Amino acid sequence: MIRVENVTKVFGANPQSVLPLLEQGKTKTEIQSETGHVVGVKDASFKVEAGQVFAIMGLSGSGKSTLIRCLNRLVEPTSGKIFFEDPEKGELDVTAMNVEDLRMLRRHQMSMVFQHFALFPHRTVLSNTVYGLEIQGRDKQEREEIGLKMLGMVGLGEWAEAYPSELSGGMQQRVGLARGLATEAKLLLMDEPFSALDPLIRVQMQDELKKIQAELERTILFITHDLDEAMFIGNKIAIMEAGEIIQIGTPEEILVNPRTEYVARFVEQADPTGVITAGTIAIPFRGTAFEQVREAGELKYLARQAYPEIEYGLDRDGRLREVVSAERSLTVEPLESVLEGRSHTSHERRRDDTLLTCTNRTVLRKLLQGRTYSTLPIVVTDEDGCAEGIVDEMELIGAILEKRGVSEEEAEAGIEAPRGRSSTA
Amino acid sequence: MIDPTVVPVAVAFNPFDVLDVPAREWITLLVDWIVAVFRDFFRAYISPPVRAVMEAVHWAFSSIPPLLFLALVFALAWWAASWRVALFSVIALAVVGFMDVWSPFITTLSLVTTAVVFSMLIGLPIGILCSRSDTLYTLIRPVLDIMQTTPPFVYLVPAVMLFGIGNVPGLIATIIFAMPPVIRLTNLGIRQVSEDLVEAGIAFGSTPRQMLWKIQVPLALPTIMAGINQTIMLSLSMVVIAAIIGAGGLGLEVYAGLERLNIGQAFVGGIGIVLLAMVLDRITQGLGEHAPGRRKSK
Ligand SMILES: Nc1ncnc2c1ncn2[C@@H]1O[C@H](COP(=O)(O)OP(=O)(O)OP(=O)(O)O)[C@@H](O)[C@H]1O
Ligand SMILES: [Mg+2]
């Protein structure tokens, strides 16, 4: 949908003169003290696929707003290229567009929600909401219909005729949101759209945004300071520091494998239970933690050295056929089916004769819920139903405390006990 | 000892004797030239529309019966400002009527209205253009300074030479004298519109024209109204002075009173002018605060 290549933005009298210094690897602070130029964004490259939500995070002043504003050229990039995939016209070079094409792009393809709302004080809430449609030249009845729908969605249906000055900050922000959504643009640029909302409405808006995004197939670039929000909404997250994107990845990748100390500090407070998946923390059957203990007909039986009493019988395709514990065959049930309608604070004794299975996309929270049902390890399968590995108590605890899974080397080496995070990461 | 009769050369030397700039002659020549070249043009193309508008306005105002006129003023003042202003305006105008200067009052009001209409017609577009071009504004600024600081009397001479005497030259001088605030404050108002809002307009793909009419002008309206208010006040003062070159109305009452040493007549005219000024000021200030979207504090 949108592709950004090596975009750099330098603020100051002669931005071009600073580019060679950047290439020499001077830092933002050095350049600022030597030349008085401010590096807003440095060499940013990324790609957002249609229908994805791309979250951008970073400390204040790290260049998030500058980057997102480069995309619709509210800020003119100093160097670099931006390509927009138009549904009809194919790939367009935004950085090379003339005024008229750019206007059409902004009018129909990209819309924006502003960090500081930027509502028009002389227009009513409804007339603010439909501004983009008005500019598009839609007739009054049609645009008011859409406007009222959008206002209803953000919970401000009753306020259509009020003026922005009569609204609280959070309400104004929602008007900005409605205005951004109303134009039906495929690409939404959202600069901290939920920052002024109270927690309850915030969660509601996040759900709403996900719904809109899925239903209307919008592509969203989303700036936020809230990691849990980024992880909930974002398919991918980019972390920025001093104008540079220092890591891009899925929420889980970033949480489990922070590339630098800065990223690690960022993700420290995140709640991993909705992000980390079974596939990441499972101990793989093909790793050295398991060994084959016997073979019977079609089935190979594997067991862990540390817990040899449970034997997992896999067929030739790698599907789990039987689990044997203390010479008893155990019941195997999918995690999803036992969780339905179950309270996780039941005082019943946990099962030790039923083993649960789940797919590798199952999140930590679900696995924990599963553990309230059965004390046995949970078997993780891939999309085709082939068993990948198991998740036991240690893996769950490790994921919560250290936010990380079994690394490749550890899996190979069969080590699983020491879980201290190496600070050299 | 120094001989006091021998003044050192350096002191005796007066640099102003060396060069005698014949400024008076030059300016006279320049004005004569302008008059010779443009007089017919100005009289043919500028006087008629000004006169036509003035006469139409005057006809309209004077055909409204005084009682209805007061009622209309009351309604307008209430809508634009408040019932207090409405009440004040009606009392002030009633005083004018009772002092028997209703007809000169109507004349002055027509002159002011005409002058303001033309000032706006010319000043608003210039102000808007200035707000979009720094170069244009730097060029126009000194002209505005000159227009505003030149003593009002000075306008009268070329006005008479170009247009003769009467209401029209008075109006022309007034329009020129009163226009700068509209230009200045229109320019200022548009430039003051917050960068955020202009960006929002751009981000939704507004054309420059949509930006101007949907965002900039509405938001600049209170400032523009302040400019119009100043223009009205300046017009009023100039229209009074223009009585010297034959403009009618309350100014003429004052001028005639002074000439005949009829202090009473002069004062009645003066009071009428003051009351009219106050009424116009209150009503237009009220209009300026009328802009939508401001927190209502009434
Ligand atoms: N118009 C400008 N002129 C000069 N410098 C600017 C301008 N806009 C931004 N900057 C600088 O660029 C850097 C990045 O600013 P930006 O607004 O993108 O940060 P941000 O990540 O959005 O911060 P926040 O979370 O506070 O919104 C800052 O150092 C800022 O000072
Ligand atoms: Mg920002």
Side-chain angles (χ1 to χ4, degrees):
Chain A
M1 188 74 176
I2 191 122
R3 189 152 55 85
V4 172
E5 283 180 1
N6 311 96
V7 163
T8 294
K9 174 65 191 179
V10 177
F11 294 103
N14 188 0
Q16 294 294 341
S17 70
V18 176
L19 292 179
L21 298 179
L22 274 174
E23 262 165 43
Q24 288 165 28
K26 298 225 171 172
T27 66
K28 174 173 174 164
T29 356
E30 279 167 5
I31 288 176
Q32 195 160 353
S33 59
E34 280 170 31
T35 68
H37 286 74
V38 178
V39 180
V41 172
K42 180 180 166 188
D43 200 22
S45 300
F46 62 88
K47 209 168 134 183
V48 184
E49 302 295 341
Q52 297 263 299
V53 181
F54 189 82
I56 302 174
M57 295 197 64
L59 294 180
S60 203
S62 57
K64 307 180 294 296
S65 298
T66 308
L67 177 60
I68 209 171
R69 281 153 170 273
C70 282
L71 299 190
N72 62 356
R73 280 177 57 194
L74 276 186
V75 166
E76 204 60 58
T78 310
S79 70
K81 292 241 166 251
I82 293 159
F83 298 96
F84 176 80
E85 179 77 40
D86 189 290
E88 277 131 46
K89 293 181 229 156
E91 194 167 76
L92 307 173
D93 183 349
V94 178
T95 32
M97 274 186 183
N98 64 24
V99 179
E100 189 53 34
D101 289 345
L102 191 57
R103 185 149 48 227
M104 287 305 140
L105 183 81
R106 289 165 174 165
R107 213 178 263 185
H108 298 284
Q109 309 286 0
M110 292 186 183
S111 96
M112 192 162 208
V113 179
F114 290 84
Q115 184 170 8
H116 305 294
F117 322 153
L119 298 182
F120 304 121
H122 61 294
R123 292 174 152 248
T124 62
V125 164
L126 179 60
S127 132
N128 262 285
T129 307
V130 301
Y131 184 79
L133 298 170
E134 197 178 313
I135 293 299
Q136 289 178 359
R138 306 280 195 95
D139 70 64
K140 196 171 157 78
Q141 198 192 339
E142 184 190 4
R143 63 186 192 231
E144 297 204 333
E145 222 164 82
I146 300 176
L148 286 172
K149 203 175 99 197
M150 293 297 154
L151 284 176
M153 206 174 58
V154 298
L156 292 176
E158 266 92 85
W159 292 85
E161 294 311 318
Y163 283 93
S165 59
E166 298 166 62
L167 269 53
S168 75
M171 290 158 86
Q172 293 184 25
Q173 189 157 48
R174 282 184 275 158
V175 178
L177 199 59
R179 181 177 66 180
L181 292 171
T183 67
E184 299 169 351
K186 285 283 176 218
L187 180 64
L188 281 170
L189 307 174
M190 309 181 106
D191 197 345
E192 302 193 28
F194 300 151
S195 59
L197 304 184
D198 58 66
L200 280 181
I201 297 208
R202 195 176 179 131
V203 170
Q204 198 180 318
M205 289 291 121
Q206 289 168 355
D207 287 334
E208 204 61 56
L209 186 66
K210 272 209 122 163
K211 225 166 69 193
I212 292 169
Q213 188 258 330
E215 273 172 23
L216 307 176
E217 294 182 346
R218 307 287 177 94
T219 309
I220 301 177
L221 262 86
F222 188 98
I223 296 180
T224 174
H225 275 280
D226 179 341
L227 188 69
D228 289 322
E229 183 168 280
M231 304 225 156
F232 176 68
I233 298 189
N235 301 96
K236 281 224 171 128
I237 299 180
I239 310 250
M240 292 189 74
E241 180 185 16
E244 273 182 276
I245 296 183
I246 45 176
Q247 187 169 5
I248 298 182
T250 63
E252 194 177 11
E253 278 163 14
I254 288 193
L255 201 58
V256 172
N257 254 326
R259 186 177 294 163
T260 69
E261 207 41 40
Y262 174 85
V263 181
R265 273 211 317 277
F266 238 98
V267 298
E268 217 159 43
Q269 300 303 322
D271 171 13
T273 56
V275 178
I276 293 184
T277 56
T280 307
I281 54 175
I283 307 171
F285 283 124
R286 56 171 174 74
T288 47
F290 281 94
E291 59 185 12
Q292 189 177 331
V293 287
R294 64 194 167 90
E295 214 172 332
E298 288 272 274
L299 302 184
K300 286 180 181 163
Y301 286 85
L302 305 178
R304 288 173 74 185
Q305 294 149 343
Y307 303 93
E309 65 275 15
I310 307 180
E311 296 174 352
Y312 303 86
L314 306 183
D315 67 16
R316 209 180 285 141
D317 298 332
R319 282 172 212 281
L320 184 71
R321 291 294 180 198
E322 187 185 30
V323 182
V324 180
S325 171
E327 310 198 333
R328 264 191 314 148
S329 199
L330 301 177
T331 324
V332 175
E333 278 190 72
L335 175 65
E336 286 299 331
S337 62
V338 303
L339 287 188
E340 255 162 53
R342 197 182 135 72
S343 149
H344 309 300
T345 50
S346 123
H347 290 289
E348 283 169 35
R349 189 184 159 81
R350 288 192 291 164
R351 311 291 286 260
D352 55 8
D353 59 351
T354 306
L355 183 131
L356 300 176
T357 64
C358 69
T359 68
N360 52 14
R361 303 302 311 154
T362 311
V363 293
L364 190 53
R365 189 177 299 127
K366 286 264 162 71
L367 298 174
L368 290 169
Q369 289 167 357
R371 288 302 287 223
T372 68
Y373 178 81
S374 156
T375 58
L376 293 166
I378 298 171
V379 173
V380 181
T381 64
D382 63 15
E383 308 85 76
D384 304 328
C386 299
E388 280 188 347
I390 64 158
V391 173
D392 203 353
E393 218 118 72
M394 285 303 290
E395 286 67 51
L396 295 173
I397 294 170
I400 295 169
L401 296 184
E402 304 286 346
K403 301 196 181 81
R404 51 182 240 148
V406 187
S407 73
E408 283 300 314
E409 313 90 77
E410 283 165 354
E412 294 298 309
I415 306 165
E416 51 155 310
R419 291 224 166 253
R421 176 184 294 178
S422 57
S423 55
T424 52
Chain B
M1 265 201 66
I2 299 166
D3 182 350
T5 59
V6 182
V7 183
V9 178
V11 177
F13 175 69
N14 182 350
F16 301 134
D17 290 337
V18 177
L19 191 66
D20 201 11
V21 180
R24 291 174 191 77
E25 287 77 10
W26 288 354
I27 291 172
T28 309
L29 278 177
L30 179 71
V31 173
D32 283 349
W33 179 78
I34 291 176
V35 169
V37 175
F38 291 106
R39 185 184 177 121
D40 292 338
F41 173 81
F42 280 8
R43 288 202 177 180
Y45 294 102
I46 295 184
S47 298
V50 175
R51 185 191 308 278
V53 170
M54 198 220 91
E55 276 168 4
V57 172
H58 188 260
W59 175 83
F61 282 162
S62 49
S63 59
I64 301 172
L67 202 57
L68 179 60
F69 196 94
L70 291 186
L72 289 176
V73 168
F74 186 82
L76 174 70
W78 195 342
W79 173 77
S82 63
W83 66 268
R84 277 173 225 274
V85 172
L87 197 61
F88 167 79
S89 306
V90 165
I91 292 173
L93 296 193
V95 169
V96 168
F98 288 129
M99 290 191 310
D100 213 17
V101 281
W102 186 259
S103 160
F105 154 77
I106 290 290
T107 305
T108 299
L109 186 63
S110 312
L111 288 172
V112 169
T113 309
T114 310
V116 170
V117 165
F118 278 98
S119 292
M120 283 167 59
L121 233 48
I122 305 166
L124 288 174
I126 296 183
I128 290 171
L129 289 176
C130 284
S131 72
R132 328 201 115 196
S133 155
D134 287 337
T135 332
L136 183 63
Y137 190 54
T138 349
L139 286 177
I140 282 189
R141 238 172 105 165
V143 179
L144 295 181
D145 289 337
I146 294 171
M147 281 162 80
Q148 265 186 311
T149 49
T150 308
F153 288 103
V154 177
Y155 286 107
L156 299 179
V157 183
V160 170
M161 294 177 78
L162 284 167
F163 299 96
I165 57 167
N167 282 329
V168 172
L171 271 174
I172 306 269
T174 304
I175 292 166
I176 294 173
F177 178 69
M179 199 166 19
V182 179
I183 300 180
R184 269 185 213 281
L185 287 161
T186 301
N187 168 63
L188 180 72
I190 291 179
R191 282 173 189 262
Q192 267 177 347
V193 171
S194 136
E195 185 64 25
D196 276 10
L197 299 182
V198 175
E199 274 192 343
I202 297 176
F204 284 97
S206 315
T207 59
R209 181 182 291 235
Q210 288 170 325
M211 180 80 83
L212 185 68
W213 295 112
K214 290 179 192 289
I215 299 175
Q216 291 173 316
V217 167
L219 286 170
L221 214 51
T223 313
I224 296 177
M225 278 311 295
I228 292 175
N229 173 282
Q230 282 184 25
T231 291
I232 291 175
M233 294 298 118
L234 288 179
S235 311
L236 189 55
S237 65
M238 189 66 188
V239 144
V240 170
I241 292 169
I244 298 174
I245 57 166
L250 292 165
L252 189 59
E253 290 292 303
V254 177
Y255 186 60
L258 288 177
E259 249 186 353
R260 290 179 222 148
L261 289 180
N262 183 343
I263 298 300
Q265 188 190 6
F267 259 79
V268 167
I271 293 169
I273 290 164
V274 170
L275 290 175
L276 175 57
M278 289 170 79
V279 169
L280 287 176
D281 184 51
R282 297 297 180 280
I283 293 180
T284 49
Q285 266 186 19
L287 272 181
E289 283 153 20
H290 220 261
R294 313 190 129 202
R295 251 183 222 275
K296 285 160 195 94
S297 51
K298 270 180 227 160

mmCIF file of all heavy atoms in Angstrom, chain A residues 11 28 38 40 59-66 115 192 225, ligand 1:
data_model
loop_
_atom_site.group_PDB
_atom_site.id
_atom_site.type_symbol
_atom_site.label_atom_id
_atom_site.label_comp_id
_atom_site.label_asym_id
_atom_site.label_seq_id
_atom_site.Cartn_x
_atom_site.Cartn_y
_atom_site.Cartn_z
ATOM 1 N N PHE A 11 15.412 19.715 9.267
ATOM 2 C CA PHE A 11 14.855 21.061 9.388
ATOM 3 C C PHE A 11 15.996 22.057 9.504
ATOM 4 O O PHE A 11 16.977 21.799 10.188
ATOM 5 C CB PHE A 11 13.989 21.178 10.640
ATOM 6 C CG PHE A 11 12.746 20.329 10.597
ATOM 7 C CD1 PHE A 11 12.686 19.141 11.307
ATOM 8 C CD2 PHE A 11 11.649 20.718 9.854
ATOM 9 C CE1 PHE A 11 11.541 18.357 11.282
ATOM 10 C CE2 PHE A 11 10.501 19.942 9.824
ATOM 11 C CZ PHE A 11 10.442 18.758 10.538
ATOM 12 N N LYS A 28 22.373 12.907 15.516
ATOM 13 C CA LYS A 28 21.445 14.036 15.509
ATOM 14 C C LYS A 28 21.971 15.180 16.371
ATOM 15 O O LYS A 28 21.946 16.341 15.969
ATOM 16 C CB LYS A 28 20.093 13.538 16.027
ATOM 17 C CG LYS A 28 19.066 14.609 16.213
ATOM 18 C CD LYS A 28 17.709 14.006 16.561
ATOM 19 C CE LYS A 28 16.728 15.134 16.900
ATOM 20 N NZ LYS A 28 15.336 14.725 16.900
ATOM 21 N N VAL A 38 18.132 20.573 12.536
ATOM 22 C CA VAL A 38 17.530 19.504 13.328
ATOM 23 C C VAL A 38 17.181 18.339 12.403
ATOM 24 O O VAL A 38 16.497 18.525 11.395
ATOM 25 C CB VAL A 38 16.247 19.999 14.034
ATOM 26 C CG1 VAL A 38 15.607 18.855 14.805
ATOM 27 C CG2 VAL A 38 16.562 21.160 14.950
ATOM 28 N N GLY A 40 14.987 15.533 11.706
ATOM 29 C CA GLY A 40 13.672 15.042 12.135
ATOM 30 C C GLY A 40 13.566 13.547 11.927
ATOM 31 O O GLY A 40 13.184 12.807 12.827
ATOM 32 N N LEU A 59 10.101 7.789 21.785
ATOM 33 C CA LEU A 59 10.005 8.852 22.772
ATOM 34 C C LEU A 59 9.591 10.154 22.092
ATOM 35 O O LEU A 59 9.666 10.284 20.878
ATOM 36 C CB LEU A 59 11.353 9.046 23.469
ATOM 37 C CG LEU A 59 11.822 7.878 24.321
ATOM 38 C CD1 LEU A 59 13.175 8.200 24.943
ATOM 39 C CD2 LEU A 59 10.807 7.581 25.410
ATOM 40 N N SER A 60 9.213 11.116 22.914
ATOM 41 C CA SER A 60 8.846 12.428 22.415
ATOM 42 C C SER A 60 10.038 13.035 21.670
ATOM 43 O O SER A 60 11.154 13.002 22.169
ATOM 44 C CB SER A 60 8.464 13.305 23.598
ATOM 45 O OG SER A 60 7.643 14.332 23.179
ATOM 46 N N GLY A 61 9.791 13.550 20.480
ATOM 47 C CA GLY A 61 10.862 14.171 19.714
ATOM 48 C C GLY A 61 11.651 13.191 18.870
ATOM 49 O O GLY A 61 12.628 13.574 18.226
ATOM 50 N N SER A 62 11.229 11.925 18.838
ATOM 51 C CA SER A 62 11.998 10.945 18.076
ATOM 52 C C SER A 62 11.677 10.990 16.588
ATOM 53 O O SER A 62 12.289 10.271 15.803
ATOM 54 C CB SER A 62 11.755 9.541 18.634
ATOM 55 O OG SER A 62 10.383 9.249 18.620
ATOM 56 N N GLY A 63 10.709 11.812 16.192
ATOM 57 C CA GLY A 63 10.463 12.003 14.763
ATOM 58 C C GLY A 63 9.250 11.286 14.210
ATOM 59 O O GLY A 63 9.084 11.192 12.997
ATOM 60 N N LYS A 64 8.377 10.816 15.086
ATOM 61 C CA LYS A 64 7.200 10.078 14.629
ATOM 62 C C LYS A 64 6.281 10.949 13.784
ATOM 63 O O LYS A 64 5.909 10.578 12.672
ATOM 64 C CB LYS A 64 6.419 9.533 15.838
ATOM 65 C CG LYS A 64 7.257 8.738 16.807
ATOM 66 C CD LYS A 64 6.440 8.231 17.975
ATOM 67 C CE LYS A 64 5.907 9.309 18.893
ATOM 68 N NZ LYS A 64 6.923 10.082 19.595
ATOM 69 N N SER A 65 5.943 12.121 14.323
ATOM 70 C CA SER A 65 5.031 12.999 13.581
ATOM 71 C C SER A 65 5.662 13.433 12.271
ATOM 72 O O SER A 65 4.997 13.475 11.233
ATOM 73 C CB SER A 65 4.691 14.236 14.401
ATOM 74 O OG SER A 65 4.027 13.875 15.581
ATOM 75 N N THR A 66 6.945 13.750 12.315
ATOM 76 C CA THR A 66 7.632 14.186 11.103
ATOM 77 C C THR A 66 7.559 13.099 10.040
ATOM 78 O O THR A 66 7.250 13.372 8.875
ATOM 79 C CB THR A 66 9.087 14.531 11.419
ATOM 80 O OG1 THR A 66 9.121 15.434 12.516
ATOM 81 C CG2 THR A 66 9.773 15.158 10.226
ATOM 82 N N GLN A 115 -2.424 15.024 15.915
ATOM 83 C CA GLN A 115 -2.047 14.902 17.325
ATOM 84 C C GLN A 115 -2.752 15.971 18.174
ATOM 85 O O GLN A 115 -3.234 15.688 19.247
ATOM 86 C CB GLN A 115 -0.530 15.051 17.437
ATOM 87 C CG GLN A 115 -0.003 14.859 18.834
ATOM 88 C CD GLN A 115 1.521 14.776 18.856
ATOM 89 O OE1 GLN A 115 2.189 14.999 17.854
ATOM 90 N NE2 GLN A 115 2.061 14.455 20.003
ATOM 91 N N GLU A 192 -1.189 9.860 17.097
ATOM 92 C CA GLU A 192 -1.672 9.735 18.479
ATOM 93 C C GLU A 192 -3.166 10.022 18.587
ATOM 94 O O GLU A 192 -3.590 10.909 19.326
ATOM 95 C CB GLU A 192 -0.880 10.667 19.400
ATOM 96 C CG GLU A 192 0.595 10.364 19.347
ATOM 97 C CD GLU A 192 1.360 11.051 20.466
ATOM 98 O OE1 GLU A 192 0.769 11.288 21.524
ATOM 99 O OE2 GLU A 192 2.554 11.321 20.270
ATOM 100 N N HIS A 225 1.977 6.269 22.073
ATOM 101 C CA HIS A 225 2.976 6.197 23.135
ATOM 102 C C HIS A 225 2.720 4.980 24.001
ATOM 103 O O HIS A 225 3.465 4.691 24.920
ATOM 104 C CB HIS A 225 2.893 7.444 24.015
ATOM 105 C CG HIS A 225 3.662 8.591 23.478
ATOM 106 N ND1 HIS A 225 5.015 8.704 23.633
ATOM 107 C CD2 HIS A 225 3.279 9.663 22.762
ATOM 108 C CE1 HIS A 225 5.421 9.810 23.046
ATOM 109 N NE2 HIS A 225 4.393 10.410 22.498
HETATM 110 N N1 LIG C 1 8.819 22.485 11.829
HETATM 111 C C1 LIG C 1 9.919 22.091 12.488
HETATM 112 N N2 LIG C 1 11.036 22.863 12.475
HETATM 113 C C2 LIG C 1 12.149 22.479 13.119
HETATM 114 N N3 LIG C 1 12.269 21.336 13.802
HETATM 115 C C3 LIG C 1 11.199 20.524 13.858
HETATM 116 C C4 LIG C 1 9.969 20.857 13.210
HETATM 117 N N4 LIG C 1 9.084 19.868 13.431
HETATM 118 C C5 LIG C 1 9.725 18.963 14.190
HETATM 119 N N5 LIG C 1 10.991 19.341 14.444
HETATM 120 C C6 LIG C 1 12.006 18.587 15.201
HETATM 121 O O1 LIG C 1 12.024 17.282 14.700
HETATM 122 C C7 LIG C 1 12.169 16.353 15.749
HETATM 123 C C8 LIG C 1 11.053 15.347 15.695
HETATM 124 O O2 LIG C 1 9.826 15.971 16.007
HETATM 125 P P1 LIG C 1 8.438 15.211 15.938
HETATM 126 O O3 LIG C 1 7.367 16.217 16.129
HETATM 127 O O4 LIG C 1 8.394 14.396 14.713
HETATM 128 O O5 LIG C 1 8.515 14.265 17.212
HETATM 129 P P2 LIG C 1 7.459 13.208 17.754
HETATM 130 O O6 LIG C 1 8.132 11.908 17.760
HETATM 131 O O7 LIG C 1 6.184 13.324 17.011
HETATM 132 O O8 LIG C 1 7.255 13.691 19.257
HETATM 133 P P3 LIG C 1 5.922 13.686 20.162
HETATM 134 O O9 LIG C 1 5.778 12.315 20.673
HETATM 135 O O10 LIG C 1 6.238 14.647 21.241
HETATM 136 O O11 LIG C 1 4.796 14.128 19.300
HETATM 137 C C9 LIG C 1 12.213 17.153 17.033
HETATM 138 O O12 LIG C 1 13.569 17.251 17.411
HETATM 139 C C10 LIG C 1 11.663 18.483 16.669
HETATM 140 O O13 LIG C 1 12.305 19.485 17.392
#
